Amino acid sequence: MNTEIEQYERIQEYLLGRMSDEDRAAFERDLATDDALREQYEDLRLLARSINKANQEVELRMALEESEKLLAESSMAVQDEGAIDEELSRVEHELKMMGVSVEDPKPSVLQVLRDRINHAFKSVGQWFAMKGPWTVEISGRSTPSVILSRVSGVAVRLAVVCSFALVCTIGTLSYNAHSVGMGCQIANDPSKGADPITELILNGEYSEAQRELSELIDYKKQQRDGLSPDSDQYQYYSSEIDEMEFLDAVCDLRRWKYFSAKSKLKAIASREGYYQSQAKDLLDKLF
């Protein structure tokens, strides 16, 4: 006959599921025939169930309290953000007073760029207004000297403004010339066969094309000299010269040379010929 302690240990092993298949079968046979064992088993089973339930309630309650605590802390952080910043600033100040170095957080690249741009604009504004570090020191200086400094400062600033306006104007005119030149269609004439100069222009080799054009223009003008203006040969050379000068002007346009191209186009438009209307059309498109 097992002792009471042994019976308790058997019941505990059975409830915890630690018995082997043979021991569990033997215990269940004893449980069916032994009323005292069955009564003790029922008591311990109910006690174990109560303990598990109590433990679960405690764990759930602790989890609920922890969740409420985290929620309250997050809500307080959102509501008291200003108070937290003030407290951090106060602690940082006290640390610095104690000689403890406090590293500031590194600003973002965008913030650094924005600050530098703002500083640059502020410096430029002060320079033009002659304020801040650009202010003329009056104390200890004579009135003529102060007036001279003021006048020279204004003159320098006007020169800078005029130079900037001139650069912008030239840039705009150059861009306009390039756009007009690129919009002008240059095509090979099939009746003349392959034209090396036109090929150079179409390939973007404008400097080489203009060098070839300059030599041909000089050669054609030499051939035309001495001929009668009413002769067919003179008119033939003149039309070829007009064509070459027009191509030369287009090269200037595509090379951003506004003033040079405009001067050449005006010369072509001033005389009668096939390229007179085309030169006028390009001039109308220029500023």
Side-chain angles (χ1 to χ4, degrees):
M1 186 66 182
N2 293 328
T3 64
E4 187 176 351
I5 296 177
E6 290 175 346
Q7 291 287 29
Y8 173 78
E9 290 178 351
R10 288 184 71 200
I11 295 172
Q12 185 180 18
E13 292 293 321
Y14 180 80
L15 291 173
L16 294 175
R18 296 176 181 175
M19 282 185 171
S20 63
D21 294 341
E22 294 179 358
D23 292 340
R24 185 171 60 255
F27 178 78
E28 290 176 351
R29 286 195 298 270
D30 292 341
L31 192 63
T33 59
D34 190 343
D35 294 338
L37 177 62
R38 187 168 53 253
E39 183 180 357
Q40 187 178 7
Y41 166 76
E42 290 295 336
D43 293 339
L44 290 176
R45 186 176 64 84
L46 292 175
L47 178 61
R49 180 180 296 178
S50 300
I51 293 174
N52 289 335
K53 185 177 180 181
N55 289 337
Q56 290 178 358
E57 290 180 356
V58 171
E59 291 177 356
L60 289 174
R61 189 176 297 277
M62 292 177 62
L64 181 60
E65 291 178 355
E66 185 67 22
S67 300
E68 291 177 350
K69 181 180 178 181
L70 293 175
L71 182 62
E73 290 178 353
S74 61
S75 178
M76 183 180 298
V78 173
Q79 294 176 359
D80 298 338
E81 183 177 355
I84 292 174
D85 291 340
E86 292 180 2
E87 182 65 17
L88 289 175
S89 300
R90 185 186 64 80
V91 173
E92 181 178 330
H93 176 70
E94 291 181 357
L95 289 174
K96 289 181 178 180
M97 293 296 294
M98 295 169 61
V100 179
S101 61
V102 179
E103 294 184 358
D104 295 329
K106 294 182 179 180
S108 62
V109 177
L110 183 61
Q111 183 63 37
V112 173
L113 183 60
R114 187 185 297 111
D115 292 342
R116 291 185 177 179
I117 293 175
N118 291 335
H119 179 71
F121 276 110
K122 182 178 179 181
S123 298
V124 171
Q126 290 180 344
W127 185 78
F128 276 104
M130 291 188 289
K131 295 181 179 179
W134 313 106
T135 305
V136 176
E137 182 62 36
I138 298 178
S139 60
R141 300 183 61 180
S142 62
T143 302
S145 176
V146 173
I147 295 175
L148 181 62
S149 298
R150 288 287 186 180
V151 171
S152 60
V154 172
V156 169
R157 283 154 179 78
L158 288 176
V160 171
V161 172
C162 293
S163 299
F164 180 75
L166 180 62
V167 170
C168 292
T169 302
I170 293 176
T172 303
L173 295 176
S174 299
Y175 179 78
N176 172 240
H178 178 73
S179 301
V180 172
M182 296 304 295
C184 181
Q185 299 297 324
I186 302 295
N188 278 322
D189 186 354
S191 63
K192 297 181 180 180
D195 186 354
I197 295 178
T198 305
E199 290 291 337
L200 289 174
I201 296 175
L202 293 175
N203 292 331
E205 301 178 28
Y206 306 122
S207 298
E208 183 65 21
Q210 285 187 299
R211 187 181 66 81
E212 296 287 340
L213 286 169
S214 178
E215 294 178 358
L216 281 174
I217 290 172
D218 291 340
Y219 174 76
K220 294 294 182 181
K221 286 183 177 181
Q222 291 176 3
Q223 296 294 319
R224 190 182 62 177
D225 290 345
L227 297 175
S228 172
D230 298 331
S231 64
D232 294 338
Q233 193 72 12
Y234 185 92
Q235 297 298 328
Y236 172 76
Y237 284 130
S238 296
S239 63
E240 285 196 335
I241 292 171
D242 284 346
E243 179 183 8
M244 295 175 188
E245 289 182 346
F246 180 80
L247 293 176
D248 184 49
V250 172
C251 289
D252 275 345
L253 289 173
R254 295 189 176 189
R255 293 181 65 189
W256 309 76
K257 295 183 177 182
Y258 174 87
F259 298 102
S260 176
K262 192 170 185 178
S263 176
K264 293 176 181 178
L265 290 172
K266 283 183 176 181
I268 298 172
S270 64
R271 55 181 182 262
E272 296 182 357
Y274 174 78
Y275 288 95
Q276 183 183 40
S277 61
Q278 297 189 44
K280 288 181 178 180
D281 182 61
L282 292 182
L283 286 171
D284 291 339
K285 295 178 182 178
L286 293 176
F287 292 154

